[in-house]
Amino acid sequence: MTFDDVIKELGEFGPYQRRLMALVLFPQILFALQQMVPVFILSEHSHRCRVNNENVTTNLSSPAIVQSVSSCDVTLYYNDTNTTQTETCSSWTYNTDRLTSSPISDFGLVCKDKILRTHASMAFLGGNLAGALVLGAVGDTFGRKPVACFSIFFLVFSSIACTWSNNFYMYVIMRFLSGTGSNIAGIKIIAIEMVGPSWRALAGISTEVIFCVGEVILCGLAYFIRDWRCLQLVISAPGVILLLYWFVLPESTRWLLSRGKLEEANETLRKIAKMNKRQLPKDFDIKRTNEKKNVGIREIAPLFRSRKHLIRWLINMFLWFVLATSYYGLTFHVGTLGGNVYLNFLIFAVVESAGAFVTLYLNNRFGRKLLNSVALLLTFLLSVLSMVASLYVKDETTRRWILMGSATVGRMSVSGDFANVFIFTSEMFPTSIRSFVVATANVSGMIGATVAPYIADLGNLVDTRFETALPYVIFGVLALIAGLLSLALPETLHKQLPEDMKDVNVSVTKASKRFTTIQPSDTIQPCDTIQPCDTIQPSTNGTTATELRMVHFDSKG
């Protein structure tokens, strides 16, 4: 009996799993608040050069009259010489209509230091990358729970400390540490591993829906709280509740069994049975799932020795890279679409949640593989449409609406596939290395997220009409390649989660386990009812196995 069979007996999505999902979903809201807050406080803060009055004293001998003021320069007119001179500003006045304060105004992230905004936005994603490298990779060795709780500890304290940043460097460091603590893969894996096969799609995609709820909450908070330090404290303080997770969050039973922790696994199974009002199957022998106790690099090594599994792993990493590049390329540049940043972000959040619901509806009907390929190919077509609009549509209003529509549908497609590909990757690899595979895929995704804004800005390097189309060309080509490569991956819909690499090398469906192959050198004993046996007796009439290569055993023998 496999662990999936046990979960079916105990309840695939009973009260125990629903309580677990509540514990998994709540942090997603806080992760969304921390990850998306730069959209409102680091995107733009209107400003101009600060001048006290029309007559200012410069480094020249005579006073000058301010002729014009821009965001970065001031033009001065000198009466005595009848000349003008443009000087770079050293201080600025900031518009308080949208933001009363921001990191931009507090740390002077304007003009020549404008690039520091992008660095500050990427600090969080860089921390997420570091967290995936350091924390995610050890999840298979030390367990899902310790990694998740350690991540939460990092997130809570660094996000609160960020409120009192007194310079740019402290702000970036705190954002980096917050990103390190936002390694959400570990806690999501617990949900995937503890529900039945028919509920995995809901377990994985519901986290994406709740993440969208967090985005909507952030949009409302950012609209009413215009001071960035106050906003940072409001979105960080509720995280203190997560410190209690060490006492309430269970360890993954699959992981306990894969590591030979039988007593703890038995205790968790008894809790599941009690809360779901079920009984453990009488024929379940927990020791049978403990045939392999290797940990660390020895467990990962078979992944690199098998060409087939290595290719699958690399394709998954590329999928995550492309999806993250497209997703964050749209998210952190929502302000460039024109109009109200709050309305644009709210539309994106609603569309993203719609994408998650569509994915949930289609996932168990058409499978992970087909859905993933279609979403990526749709992203490619939308990139082509945006590229054509940028090059050939001359009416500015029409072009803007085409770009906004393409970006909105593209975000829905990408965000929905993000939820799908997490389930896809988790189901494709065994428990023994699942955390490692998801962690490395997450690393690849964070690399894509980090480079996304720079890809979007590549157009600034090309001083031609092609400059606005260049980013769409890159995003489109990446999506097309990823969509085609994903066709080489196996479908995992309705498959049992493999426990180790041996399970990946054989078929894991119920039907395949009812067949046994008879070697040509053997013979079979004719009888009215075929019973499974360890040895095959010689036939009295000489019937050979070549005449019946496959014997089927149904549930009754």
Side-chain angles (χ1 to χ4, degrees):
M1 178 175 286
T2 66
F3 186 80
D4 278 337
D5 295 327
V6 177
I7 287 295
K8 289 178 181 179
E9 292 290 335
L10 297 181
E12 293 189 66
F13 200 71
Y16 181 90
Q17 285 91 345
R18 291 195 290 270
R19 171 181 172 272
L20 176 62
M21 283 303 303
L23 293 174
V24 171
L25 293 178
F26 177 66
Q28 311 303 316
I29 297 177
L30 300 180
F31 295 153
L33 297 178
Q34 295 297 331
Q35 184 166 298
M36 296 302 174
V37 71
V39 172
F40 300 101
I41 65 176
L42 281 173
S43 58
E44 188 57 57
H45 196 167
S46 299
H47 63 282
R48 65 173 178 83
C49 290
R50 176 180 292 170
V51 291
N52 296 325
N53 48 56
E54 291 185 355
N55 296 317
V56 297
T57 301
T58 68
N59 56 350
L60 302 178
S61 58
S62 62
I65 297 175
V66 176
Q67 191 174 60
S68 63
V69 179
S70 67
S71 59
C72 297
D73 302 308
V74 57
T75 301
L76 303 176
Y77 172 73
Y78 297 92
N79 282 323
D80 55 350
T81 61
N82 193 29
T83 59
T84 59
Q85 182 174 328
T86 301
E87 295 187 3
T88 302
C89 298
S90 58
S91 61
W92 298 266
T93 297
Y94 295 88
N95 188 304
T96 58
D97 290 342
R98 191 175 76 83
L99 292 171
T100 57
S101 72
S102 69
I104 298 174
S105 61
D106 284 5
F107 308 135
L109 308 181
V110 295
C111 299
K112 63 182 178 62
D113 291 328
K114 186 177 181 179
I115 188 64
L116 296 180
R117 300 185 204 173
T118 303
H119 298 339
S121 297
M122 293 305 101
F124 185 90
L125 297 174
N128 207 315
L129 171 61
L133 283 169
V134 178
L135 300 177
V138 300
D140 291 321
T141 302
F142 297 101
R144 321 305 194 205
K145 176 180 176 179
V147 170
C149 291
F150 187 75
S151 299
I152 288 171
F153 177 85
F154 247 67
L155 173 65
V156 171
F157 284 99
S158 58
S159 60
I160 293 177
C162 186
T163 306
W164 288 277
S165 299
N166 55 17
N167 58 64
F168 174 74
Y169 298 102
M170 179 179 177
Y171 175 76
V172 169
I173 291 173
M174 291 301 104
R175 288 291 296 169
F176 180 86
L177 294 178
S178 296
T180 303
S182 295
N183 180 35
I184 63 177
I187 196 168
K188 289 173 70 174
I189 289 177
I190 294 178
I192 292 291
E193 293 182 339
M194 294 296 288
V195 301
S198 59
W199 291 90
R200 284 188 210 129
L202 176 64
I205 297 174
S206 59
T207 58
E208 181 69 24
V209 175
I210 297 300
F211 189 90
C212 298
V213 172
E215 291 180 319
V216 173
I217 293 174
L218 174 63
C219 189
L221 292 175
Y223 182 81
F224 290 105
I225 304 175
R226 302 302 179 95
D227 180 272
W228 81 272
R229 295 183 188 273
C230 182
L231 177 62
Q232 180 68 34
L233 184 61
V234 168
I235 65 176
S236 303
V240 175
I241 301 174
L242 297 180
L243 298 179
L244 300 175
Y245 268 41
W246 180 261
F247 305 100
V248 297
L249 185 68
E251 180 57 88
S252 168
T253 308
R254 287 182 185 272
W255 181 85
L256 292 173
L257 292 175
S258 70
R259 292 296 173 256
K261 300 178 181 291
L262 306 185
E263 184 176 344
E264 296 176 48
N266 268 315
E267 179 63 26
T268 302
L269 290 174
R270 283 192 288 268
K271 288 181 180 179
I272 297 175
K274 181 178 179 180
M275 188 169 292
N276 290 354
K277 298 180 180 180
R278 300 288 186 91
Q279 291 184 347
L280 284 172
K282 296 180 180 180
D283 58 345
F284 175 66
D285 182 7
I286 198 169
K287 292 183 180 180
R288 291 173 58 187
T289 64
N290 185 38
E291 296 177 356
K292 193 166 185 174
K293 299 182 181 180
N294 292 339
V295 298
I297 193 63
R298 289 178 297 173
E299 195 69 75
I300 300 172
L303 176 65
F304 299 96
R305 288 198 294 263
S306 170
R307 180 181 178 183
K308 177 178 65 176
H309 299 141
L310 180 61
I311 291 175
R312 290 178 181 177
W313 176 56
L314 293 175
I315 291 176
N316 272 276
M317 291 182 66
F318 185 68
L319 289 179
W320 283 58
F321 173 84
V322 172
L323 289 172
T325 302
S326 303
Y327 179 84
Y328 289 103
L330 290 171
T331 298
F332 287 110
H333 288 268
V334 63
T336 63
L337 297 177
N340 188 296
V341 64
Y342 301 100
L343 179 60
N344 288 346
F345 188 84
L346 180 62
I347 292 173
F348 268 28
V350 172
V351 166
E352 184 176 347
S353 62
F357 281 114
V358 171
T359 301
L360 179 62
Y361 176 78
L362 299 177
N363 201 275
N364 286 333
R365 289 167 173 78
F366 298 100
R368 319 333 186 186
K369 177 179 176 178
L370 179 61
L371 196 61
N372 177 70
S373 296
V374 170
L376 287 167
L377 293 177
L378 176 61
T379 303
F380 163 72
L381 293 176
L382 291 170
S383 298
V384 172
L385 176 62
S386 299
M387 179 187 67
V388 172
S390 299
L391 290 173
Y392 301 108
V393 178
K394 297 182 179 181
D395 182 71
E396 184 177 349
T397 301
T398 304
R399 183 171 63 250
R400 185 172 66 249
W401 278 107
I402 292 176
L403 293 177
M404 179 174 289
S406 298
T408 302
V409 178
R411 182 181 169 100
M412 180 178 71
S413 174
V414 169
S415 61
D417 195 32
F418 232 140
N420 174 61
V421 80
F422 180 84
I423 304 170
F424 198 20
T425 304
S426 299
E427 292 179 335
M428 201 177 304
F429 296 90
T431 303
S432 56
I433 61 169
R434 185 171 297 121
S435 183
F436 169 80
V437 170
V438 173
T440 51
N442 192 31
V443 166
S444 180
M446 288 303 99
I447 294 175
T450 304
V451 303
Y454 300 100
I455 294 178
D457 290 339
L458 281 178
N460 298 329
L461 303 177
V462 183
D463 190 19
T464 64
R465 189 183 178 189
F466 191 66
E467 63 184 54
T468 56
L470 182 57
Y472 297 114
V473 173
I474 296 176
F475 289 134
V477 170
L478 288 175
L480 177 62
I481 295 174
L484 295 177
L485 286 177
S486 65
L487 295 175
L489 298 175
E491 179 57 71
T492 62
L493 180 63
H494 300 317
K495 303 292 180 65
Q496 294 180 343
L497 284 181
E499 302 298 336
D500 54 33
M501 292 301 293
K502 290 181 179 179
D503 292 339
V504 181
N505 292 324
V506 297
S507 176
V508 294
T509 60
K510 281 186 175 181
S512 65
K513 288 190 174 183
R514 296 191 187 122
F515 292 89
T516 178
T517 303
I518 302 176
Q519 300 302 321
S521 59
D522 299 326
T523 56
I524 61 172
Q525 177 66 37
C527 54
D528 295 331
T529 303
I530 302 177
Q531 299 291 340
C533 55
D534 295 329
T535 59
I536 302 176
Q537 301 298 327
S539 173
T540 57
N541 60 2
T543 304
T544 63
T546 55
E547 298 174 34
L548 183 60
R549 297 298 307 276
M550 196 75 74
V551 180
H552 174 262
F553 300 111
D554 61 20
S555 58
K556 298 180 180 180

